[in-house]
Amino acid sequence: MAQLVKGETGDWEIVIGMEVHAQVTANSKLFSGASAEFGAAPNSQVSMVDAAMPGMLPVLNEHCVYQAVRTGLGLNSKINHTSVFERKNYFYPDLPQGYQISQYLHPIVGEGKIEIDLPDGTTKEIGITRLHLEQDAGKSLHDQHPTKSFVDLNRSGCALMEIVSEPDIRGPDEAAAYLSKLRMILRYLGTCDGNMEEGSMRADVNISVRKPGGELGTRAEIKNVNSVKAVQQAIDYEVERQIDILESGGTVVQETRLWDPNKNETRSMRSKEEAHDYRYFPDPDLLPLVLEQDYIDKVANDLPELPDQKKHRFMEEFGLSLYDASVIIAESMRADYYEDVTKGRDPKIAANWVINELLGLLNKNDKDIAETPISASQLGGLIDLIADNTISGKIAKDVFAEMFKTSKDAAAIVEEKGLKQVTDTGEIESVIDKVLADNPDNVAAYKGGKDKLFGFFVGQVMKETGGKANPAMVNEILKKKLS
Amino acid sequence: MDEATVRRVARLARLEMSDEEVARLVPQLGNIMTFVEQLGEVDTDAVEPLASVADIDLRLREDTVTDGGIANDVLANAPEDMEGFFVVPKVVE
């Protein structure tokens, strides 16, 4: 479903391709034994290799290779048996080598595809062009001093996967869905923590506009878009900018632009053209990386069930709607939790409790599923109490709130507070008799044809029993007594 | 080879060059290019690029932390440093 934008000269189609840099989850760096952990004191995780001291040689981290192959398989992509590390040459203070070791002509992972879930409940396939391994740069701080920049090389040399999409994305919603799904897959695989605030996932967005179905327009590359929301805002801004230029007879310049989240605008980085002459060539310090089919098969065997597989299985096996399934599979821990709750229970009821009650309350308290005060077996216990008529659905919500506060078992709370549902016919009958005796006028009015009063009697019975009377039985007995 | 190319290559390599140096380098670099371009005469269509003359595979290392914690050594050559950071002339406006 292409999302068209109305301009003064007619409709415009948005064409977007994304490049996502994802930091590989690993203990050490891509080519050195320094720690890759986030947040250490400046330059405390830098080896002489990362500082590019003369004579130091890079040695490839086998786990980073494993992670890249694992990710490639998770993106339904072709794994290349031979890939080559090349030098991408440019000067910047946080790049001590004067080049970034990257992959260019021969990336480790080739073409693939993923499925994205759109807000209107449909899905769409987005092509993956490639994934390659490369070194991250260091970090420059520009706001510490009026005339100086400060450089920390801790991140220098950490392994990144650059994941490039085909220009299949047609608008801000699709871009957001793509980024979310990609993040989800990486987190399921454990190959990147997907933490956008800490910069372990960063997106560059290539945007152009064209008349629907026409030739591709000139694109601008937007850098520094570091949240799903920023991606949407940057696209909205950039699309409007480009349409304005084109409709007033101008031409879009192919350039790199920076997203400024404070001013909500993109602006040209005005870098000199020759800065983009990277003069790639194979790194003479590194031989080509050769992967045998056996190795790739072994990595494939280690793959967990991925979000889309899980989503489709939940829809088929448990009869969940696409929406419910998508919510539940958003995090693997959430999906595991749901599967534990639903074991031996009604899957739709379990889904309702997990999505509407548990996730709702967690959200309200700014917690995620890892911090839930109610375990899956405890929530299951609560659902069992409803199923066997020990408590009513209404009382169950109160019990649930109490469980959330105290982490106690549902049965213990029901016992403690005397919330057991009254299912004893004699007891319910005697309460009903009392209610009818106390309200002779209403009984007469009901019998005279005021049907609506039935609800009044039910309410009175519930009030008398503290909400504990089984509603179905109350209805049945009342009907009999009033007829 | 012309002056513009020499200046461009010098700029990419961050080399400052006087007009005399550029003029002197035009024929020198031109000669080197002509020499190297002779390789283009060899038909290599069916030949795989040779990454190494030794018949060895790329060596990989285990993913363990074996290095780092040497901030003082890393910073030892820096013209300027402060609180563990390299300090350089400001690189954004």
Side-chain angles (χ1 to χ4, degrees):
Chain A
M1 179 204 57
Q3 196 177 335
L4 297 180
V5 183
K6 278 219 175 328
E8 278 171 23
T9 60
D11 287 344
W12 293 88
E13 185 180 24
I14 309 170
V15 179
I16 298 167
M18 281 171 81
E19 291 165 22
V20 173
H21 289 88
Q23 190 178 332
V24 177
T25 300
N27 298 320
S28 61
K29 295 185 179 182
L30 184 55
F31 294 113
S32 89
S35 170
E37 205 164 320
F38 178 82
N43 291 308
S44 64
Q45 295 178 169
V46 182
S47 77
M48 291 300 172
V49 178
D50 311 318
M53 291 299 169
M56 303 311 293
L57 289 174
V59 188
L60 183 58
N61 182 335
E62 63 179 8
H63 186 61
C64 295
V65 172
Y66 171 85
Q67 295 284 60
V69 172
R70 187 172 158 90
T71 306
L73 293 168
L75 301 175
N76 309 299
S77 298
K78 180 175 164 276
I79 308 301
N80 291 326
H81 290 272
T82 304
S83 63
V84 177
F85 287 99
E86 306 205 27
R87 293 184 178 179
K88 177 181 180 177
N89 299 279
Y90 67 93
F91 282 103
Y92 205 74
D94 58 22
L95 186 80
Q97 287 167 160
Y99 57 85
Q100 176 193 33
I101 305 178
S102 181
Q103 296 186 306
Y104 186 54
L105 295 178
H106 305 281
I108 185 165
V109 175
E111 286 184 350
K113 57 176 190 289
I114 65 172
E115 182 180 298
I116 62 170
D117 304 303
L118 299 171
D120 67 358
T122 60
T123 61
K124 178 179 172 176
E125 218 167 67
I126 303 292
I128 302 292
T129 312
R130 58 186 279 159
L131 174 156
H132 68 251
L133 276 171
E134 63 184 25
Q135 295 177 301
D136 206 344
K139 200 174 166 180
S140 305
L141 305 175
H142 304 297
D143 52 5
Q144 309 289 306
H145 192 281
T147 58
K148 308 276 187 183
S149 291
F150 286 42
V151 180
D152 172 14
L153 298 181
N154 279 349
R155 217 179 55 190
S156 165
C158 284
L160 292 179
M161 297 179 281
E162 181 173 326
I163 302 164
V164 182
S165 87
E166 291 288 302
D168 290 344
I169 300 164
R170 288 290 172 272
D173 288 347
E174 292 188 9
Y178 172 76
L179 197 58
S180 304
K181 181 53 72 66
L182 192 57
R183 180 171 181 273
M184 203 187 292
I185 293 171
L186 295 175
R187 285 171 57 88
Y188 263 68
L189 292 167
T191 55
C192 170
D193 65 25
N195 191 330
M196 299 189 86
E197 291 94 66
E198 287 178 5
S200 37
M201 216 178 134
R202 316 193 280 273
D204 298 341
V205 191
N206 289 303
I207 305 173
S208 65
V209 297
R210 65 174 174 189
K211 290 288 178 186
E215 265 184 55
L216 282 177
T218 306
R219 67 172 194 270
E221 179 182 2
I222 317 299
K223 289 204 178 279
N224 193 37
V225 226
N226 293 331
S227 70
V228 174
K229 197 173 146 223
V231 166
Q232 290 176 298
Q233 291 175 328
I235 293 170
D236 282 336
Y237 178 89
E238 185 60 22
V239 164
E240 199 179 304
R241 187 187 72 88
Q242 293 187 12
I243 293 177
D244 281 352
I245 292 175
L246 293 169
E247 294 198 326
S248 59
T251 47
V252 174
V253 182
Q254 180 164 344
E255 62 177 350
T256 304
R257 298 176 69 85
L258 193 73
W259 170 246
D260 182 336
N262 299 317
K263 292 184 184 157
N264 272 339
E265 63 178 27
T266 66
R267 57 169 183 270
S268 176
M269 290 177 77
R270 277 182 241 285
S271 45
K272 296 223 168 61
E273 236 169 78
E274 62 192 355
H276 292 297
D277 187 352
Y278 292 128
R279 294 149 294 146
Y280 280 97
F281 65 93
D283 191 316
D285 291 340
L286 292 158
L287 290 162
L289 173 63
V290 177
L291 301 174
E292 304 295 340
Q293 190 57 44
D294 278 359
Y295 172 81
I296 298 167
D297 292 344
K298 233 173 69 200
V299 181
N301 282 333
D302 286 351
L303 283 188
E305 185 181 32
L306 289 161
D308 286 322
Q309 295 166 338
K310 223 184 249 298
K311 185 178 73 191
H312 291 299
R313 178 167 66 82
F314 281 11
M315 289 166 70
E316 277 158 36
E317 201 171 305
F318 300 134
L320 298 186
S321 67
L322 175 66
Y323 175 80
D324 284 357
S326 302
V327 172
I328 288 173
I329 59 107
E331 292 172 80
S332 62
M333 208 181 247
R334 205 184 266 188
D336 292 346
Y337 184 98
Y338 168 74
E339 281 208 273
D340 281 348
V341 174
T342 206
K343 220 162 264 162
R345 305 189 177 94
D346 183 299
K348 282 184 193 165
I349 291 176
N352 273 340
W353 277 95
V354 171
I355 296 172
N356 299 326
E357 306 302 326
L358 182 68
L359 292 179
L361 208 49
L362 284 171
N363 228 345
K364 225 195 233 162
N365 288 275
D366 226 5
K367 288 185 172 171
D368 66 36
I369 193 85
E371 306 164 289
T372 175
I374 303 175
S375 71
S377 66
Q378 284 179 314
L379 182 54
L382 176 66
I383 295 171
D384 290 343
L385 292 181
I386 310 168
D388 70 9
N389 275 327
T390 305
I391 54 172
S392 68
K394 193 163 173 295
I395 295 273
K397 300 221 168 152
D398 300 336
V399 174
F400 179 81
E402 188 68 20
M403 291 169 80
F404 197 88
K405 256 187 261 164
T406 62
S407 291
K408 283 186 190 162
D409 285 348
I413 292 169
V414 168
E415 191 65 38
E416 217 169 85
K417 307 212 159 187
L419 298 172
K420 236 182 193 153
Q421 184 162 243
V422 179
T423 51
D424 178 71
T425 317
E427 201 179 333
I428 294 176
E429 252 179 62
S430 71
V431 176
I432 289 178
D433 287 343
K434 180 173 176 293
V435 167
L436 297 183
D438 287 350
N439 297 283
D441 295 352
N442 282 335
V443 173
Y446 178 81
K447 289 190 172 159
K450 276 188 90 176
D451 288 352
K452 272 193 210 148
L453 280 168
F454 192 79
F456 164 79
F457 294 119
V458 174
Q460 289 299 307
V461 175
M462 284 304 183
K463 203 168 145 197
E464 286 284 326
T465 57
K468 289 183 289 185
N470 177 307
M473 292 177 70
V474 171
N475 274 317
E476 196 188 310
I477 298 169
L478 246 179
K479 240 176 233 162
K480 233 185 291 167
K481 297 240 174 207
L482 284 168
S483 62
Chain B
M1 187 61 53
D2 54 23
E3 286 200 5
T5 308
V6 171
R7 282 185 207 284
R8 199 176 127 257
V9 172
R11 208 195 128 63
L12 283 169
R14 296 295 186 277
L15 295 174
E16 193 180 345
M17 234 161 244
S18 65
D19 291 348
E20 293 78 49
E21 283 171 311
V22 171
R24 183 156 49 86
L25 278 167
V26 170
Q28 287 190 6
L29 282 177
N31 284 339
I32 293 171
M33 290 304 291
T34 313
F35 173 70
V36 173
E37 268 163 12
Q38 290 180 70
L39 290 171
E41 292 166 19
V42 184
D43 178 7
T44 55
D45 282 355
V47 183
E48 285 286 306
L50 182 70
S52 166
V53 286
D55 187 17
I56 48 172
D57 290 332
L58 178 64
R59 286 279 295 274
L60 303 184
R61 38 170 276 274
E62 236 179 80
D63 180 30
T64 49
V65 176
T66 55
D67 210 338
I70 46 167
N72 287 337
D73 294 345
V74 166
L75 291 164
N77 285 334
E80 196 180 347
D81 66 277
M82 196 190 285
E83 289 174 34
F85 290 96
F86 290 92
V87 177
V88 300
K90 202 167 202 118
V91 282
V92 289
E93 67 277 4

